[in-house]
Amino acid sequence: MANFPSLKLIEVCKVSPPPTAAAPSSLPLTFFDLMWLRFHPIQRLFFYEFPSNEVSFHDVIVPKLKNSLSLTLQGDGVSMTVAESDDNFYHLSGNGFREVSEFHPLVPQLPVSHNRAAVIAIQVTKFQNKGFSIGISNHHGILDGRSSTSFIKSWAQICIEESFIPTPKQMPLYDRSVINDPKDLAKIYAKAWKDVEGPNNKSLNLKFPQTKHGLVRSTLEFTHQNIQKLKEWILNKKIKNENFDSSSHISSFAIATAYLCVCTAKLEGLKEGKLWFGFAADARTRLKPQVPLNYFGNCLVGGYTSLERFELLSENGIILACDEISKAIRKLDDGALNGSENWGSMMSQATNDYSKIQAISLAGSPRFGVYNADFGFGKPKKVEIVSAESPYVFPLTDSQNSDVVMEIGVVRERDEMEAFVTIFNQGFESFFNDQHWDHC
C-alpha cells in the first residue's frame, strides 16, 4: 500500500494587531473591489529552506512570524495555522511535475460565510528539518496582487527589524476617495452580483472552480537569452516584411505571452476559430488622476485580444500575437475604463461557472518581486500561485535566478504537460538555430 504524505496540525490561533494600531475600522468597497466580490481566493505559497539546523522552527521561526505579523496588521486579526508535513520539501519546491492536489494541505481555507468574509488567512508548515512554507489565502474582493505583495513584504521587513518604520510611500493608503466613480459603477456591479442568483442575493459566499483530478503543475522559465533571441527574430522578420510595423517597442511581457499563445495553439492542434487571451493590468498609473502605487485595495483593469488559430500556427504566428497583445496594452493606456459598464456582469457570470472561461489568462506578475520576500531566513526557494489550477491560467512571477526574466506556471493533465513542455523547449531551439518554428 502506498504511503501518502500526512499533515499534522500543531496550532490554530488568531494573531491580532497591537492595541496602538490605527487603521480605519471599516472601508467601503469601490467598483474595482466589487468586480472580484465572490471570486475564488488567491492562494500563494512561499517555500524557505532552513538557514541552519540550529534555528528552531517552533521556538524561533514561528514566534518571530507571529510577532511581526501582529505588528504588520492594522485592522482585524488574522487566522494563523501551524502545521508539520512529512511531504518532500525539495519535490514541492522544485520546477518538475507535481500533482496540484499536493499543495492543497499547505494553504489555509479562507473563513467565509453568507454574511461575513475574512480578508487573509495564513498557514506556516514545517517540512521535517529541510525547510518551511508560508501559505497565504487572500480575498480578491479586498486586495489585488500589488496590495497583497506589499503586505507580505512589509511583514517580512518587520520580521527582520521590529523597529522598521515605513516611509510614507511604503505605508498602505486606505483613502477610497482616490478612486473616481463618475459612472456609478459600484452600484452597477453590486446589482450584477445580486442578480446572479437573485433576486437581491446579498451572499458573500465565494465561488470556487471545479478542479479536475489528475492535473499536474510545472514551472517553465523565460531566460534573458530566450527573450532576447525571440525579440531579435521578430525584429528581423519585421524589417524584411513591409506588412509588419517595426517601429513600435516590443515588451518582454508581449513576447512571453505571445509565445505562450502559440505554444497553446500548437498543443491544441488544428482547431477552427479564435484563441482568446485576456490579462489583468494595474490601473494605478493608467487612471486620470493617477492612483498612488501604495493604494491598498483592488485597482485592476482587463485587456484582451483574439487570435486566429490558423495564423498562430503559421511561421509568423508569434509576430501576429505579439502585435495584437501590444495593441491591447496600448488600448488600456489610452482608455483604461473603456467598456467598464459591462465588467461587473461579465465577472459575475464567469465566476458563476468558471468552466465557461475558455480564454487564456494570467495570474500574478513578475513585477511584484515576490522572491524578495525575505523574513530573515533567506529569500524564497520557490513561490507558487496555488489557486491557479486551470490549464487556461498561467501564473507569472519573477525568479530567484538572475538569468531568468520570469517563471511561468503551467497546469495540465500529465500527457498534455509533457507535450506542452516539449513544444515550449523546442520552440526556443528552433529560434536559436534560426529555423522556421512551424517545422518543429
Side-chain angles (χ1 to χ4, degrees):
M1 226 176 131
N3 290 321
F4 293 101
S6 63
L7 189 83
K8 179 183 176 184
L9 288 181
I10 306 299
E11 178 189 11
V12 179
C13 63
K14 186 171 183 178
V15 178
S16 299
T20 53
S25 57
S26 65
L27 291 169
L29 297 181
T30 71
F31 68 91
F32 283 123
D33 300 321
L34 285 165
M35 190 160 65
W36 303 94
L37 184 65
R38 299 182 66 185
F39 195 78
H40 66 76
I42 304 304
Q43 297 174 316
R44 284 195 280 188
L45 195 54
F46 295 73
F47 289 96
Y48 296 89
E49 287 184 283
F50 284 137
S52 70
N53 290 332
E54 286 75 46
V55 178
S56 167
F57 176 75
H58 293 293
D59 296 333
V60 177
I61 292 176
V62 170
K64 279 181 72 74
L65 290 173
K66 281 185 183 177
N67 189 53
S68 54
L69 177 60
S70 172
L71 295 172
T72 310
L73 294 173
Q74 299 188 26
D76 285 343
V78 166
S79 168
M80 178 186 273
T81 300
V82 180
E84 292 182 354
S85 171
D86 59 6
D87 209 340
N88 187 322
F89 175 82
Y90 293 106
H91 165 67
L92 290 175
S93 61
N95 285 353
F97 291 12
R98 294 145 295 153
E99 299 276 345
V100 297
S101 57
E102 293 181 84
F103 295 90
H104 294 169
L106 306 177
V107 287
Q109 297 299 309
L110 196 67
V112 176
S113 65
H114 176 76
N115 54 14
R116 188 174 178 82
V119 177
I120 295 174
I122 291 168
Q123 179 174 323
V124 185
T125 306
K126 176 189 177 185
F127 294 87
Q128 298 156 342
N129 291 316
K130 309 298 184 186
F132 67 98
S133 64
I134 300 177
I136 302 177
S137 297
N138 300 320
H139 195 304
H140 206 329
I142 309 298
L143 66 172
D144 60 13
R146 180 182 283 276
S147 294
S148 168
T149 307
S150 66
F151 170 80
I152 293 162
K153 287 182 179 176
S154 295
W155 178 18
Q157 188 71 46
I158 291 170
C159 194
I160 293 173
E161 182 188 357
E162 286 187 9
S163 59
F164 169 70
I165 300 174
T167 65
K169 286 188 176 180
Q170 291 173 318
M171 286 289 289
L173 177 71
Y174 297 106
D175 183 5
R176 277 2 192 199
S177 69
V178 299
I179 304 293
N180 293 326
D181 187 8
K183 298 179 181 178
D184 211 2
L185 295 174
K187 191 173 182 179
I188 297 170
Y189 293 4
K191 184 178 186 304
W193 283 114
K194 288 178 184 177
D195 290 348
V196 79
E197 292 171 333
N200 202 32
N201 178 12
K202 296 182 180 179
S203 176
L204 295 177
N205 279 323
L206 301 180
K207 300 282 191 174
F208 290 86
Q210 291 286 326
T211 301
K212 288 175 65 178
H213 292 293
L215 293 176
V216 295
R217 182 185 302 281
S218 182
T219 304
L220 303 176
E221 297 176 335
F222 278 104
T223 65
H224 289 282
Q225 184 186 25
N226 288 344
I227 293 286
Q228 188 58 36
K229 196 71 179 177
L230 289 173
K231 187 177 287 189
E232 289 172 4
W233 189 92
I234 291 169
L235 286 173
N236 284 336
K237 284 282 185 178
K238 284 189 165 194
I239 290 168
K240 293 174 184 175
N241 191 329
E242 60 187 24
N243 294 323
F244 293 124
D245 177 13
S246 60
S247 62
S248 57
H249 168 72
I250 309 173
S251 68
S252 296
F253 174 86
I255 290 172
T257 51
Y259 190 81
L260 289 174
C261 287
V262 174
C263 287
T264 302
K266 285 182 174 291
L267 178 73
E268 295 179 350
L270 287 169
K271 289 171 67 175
E272 290 187 0
K274 298 176 183 293
L275 184 146
W276 288 83
F277 170 67
F279 58 95
D282 195 331
R284 289 167 176 81
T285 57
R286 291 180 164 93
L287 297 176
K288 296 174 183 175
Q290 291 190 2
V291 173
L293 291 178
N294 59 335
Y295 171 75
F296 189 91
N298 281 286
C299 196
L300 297 173
V301 291
Y304 66 91
T305 188
S306 63
L307 306 158
E308 291 289 349
R309 287 178 177 272
F310 77 90
E311 290 184 340
L312 284 173
L313 295 174
S314 71
E315 180 191 337
N316 294 324
I318 190 169
I319 302 177
L320 297 164
C322 205
D323 282 351
E324 290 304 311
I325 292 167
S326 298
K327 282 181 198 171
I329 295 169
R330 287 196 294 273
K331 268 187 187 175
L332 292 182
D333 293 336
D334 296 338
L337 295 178
N338 289 344
S340 55
E341 298 89 342
N342 303 315
W343 293 350
S345 59
M346 288 166 61
M347 183 62 86
S348 60
Q349 289 167 23
T351 307
N352 202 40
D353 185 358
Y354 291 93
S355 67
K356 291 181 179 176
I357 305 174
Q358 300 292 306
I360 290 175
S361 63
L362 308 173
S365 168
R367 291 186 175 183
F368 293 157
V370 291
Y371 278 93
N372 292 323
D374 184 347
F375 288 82
F377 312 109
K379 291 187 176 182
K381 176 173 171 55
K382 191 68 188 296
V383 181
E384 293 281 1
I385 302 179
V386 176
S387 51
E389 287 194 347
S390 163
Y392 294 101
V393 180
F394 292 102
L396 270 59
T397 64
D398 54 310
S399 175
Q400 63 165 339
N401 185 345
S402 60
D403 294 332
V404 175
V405 179
M406 66 182 86
E407 294 180 350
I408 310 290
V410 185
V411 171
R412 291 270 173 185
E413 293 181 8
R414 187 172 290 271
D415 57 342
E416 281 191 345
M417 180 71 86
E418 290 171 352
F420 189 91
V421 171
T422 300
I423 292 167
F424 185 88
N425 292 329
Q426 285 187 355
F428 290 130
E429 290 170 14
S430 63
F431 278 112
F432 279 27
N433 297 329
D434 200 26
Q435 297 169 357
H436 293 336
W437 196 21
D438 53 342
H439 292 168
C440 73

